[in-house]
Amino acid sequence: MKKFIQKIAIVTALMMLFSACQDDDHTFGDINTPNGLEVHAVLQGEDGSNPNGDGSGIVSFTATANNALSYKYIFSDGNTLSLQTEKLRKGLLSTALTLIP
């Protein structure tokens, strides 16, 4: 019985050795760089009589780009925000914005 278990162990080890030695195919496919970035900003309360909005500092951003999976908003105060959606509503007082698709 002991020799039978040893033979089974050897056969199992050999099977594992040969089955683990195949090449893996790691391909990504086409990598498409985002392009055509457009950002639209709307101040809350902006109208004909209030061209600078209602003073709340809330701005709604809509970003669109071809082949974009997510959008990264970088604010001049050091905060960043990554979103997989095109829309962002944020209270801004005196902050600049950089957007990376």
Side-chain angles (χ1 to χ4, degrees):
M1 183 70 169
K2 189 175 183 181
K3 289 192 181 246
F4 179 73
I5 293 175
Q6 287 177 342
K7 288 180 183 180
I8 295 291
I10 291 172
V11 169
T12 304
L14 288 173
M15 287 176 50
M16 290 175 61
L17 178 68
F18 287 114
S19 67
C21 293
Q22 63 186 10
D23 290 333
D24 292 332
D25 184 23
H26 298 287
T27 58
F28 287 110
D30 293 337
I31 297 175
N32 298 318
T33 305
N35 58 37
L37 175 64
E38 292 185 20
V39 180
H40 299 281
V42 178
L43 293 169
Q44 180 173 306
E46 179 183 19
D47 58 20
S49 61
N50 295 312
N52 295 323
D54 61 7
S56 67
I58 296 176
V59 182
S60 295
F61 295 100
T62 302
T64 57
N66 300 323
N67 301 317
L69 300 175
S70 64
Y71 298 89
K72 182 175 184 179
Y73 293 85
I74 304 172
F75 301 96
S76 63
D77 61 2
N79 290 321
T80 62
L81 185 61
S82 294
L83 301 172
Q84 292 185 347
T85 181
E86 299 173 344
K87 297 187 182 221
L88 168 68
R89 186 170 184 218
K90 177 117 174 123
L92 302 174
L93 295 177
S94 61
T95 302
L97 170 72
T98 303
L99 180 65
I100 301 172

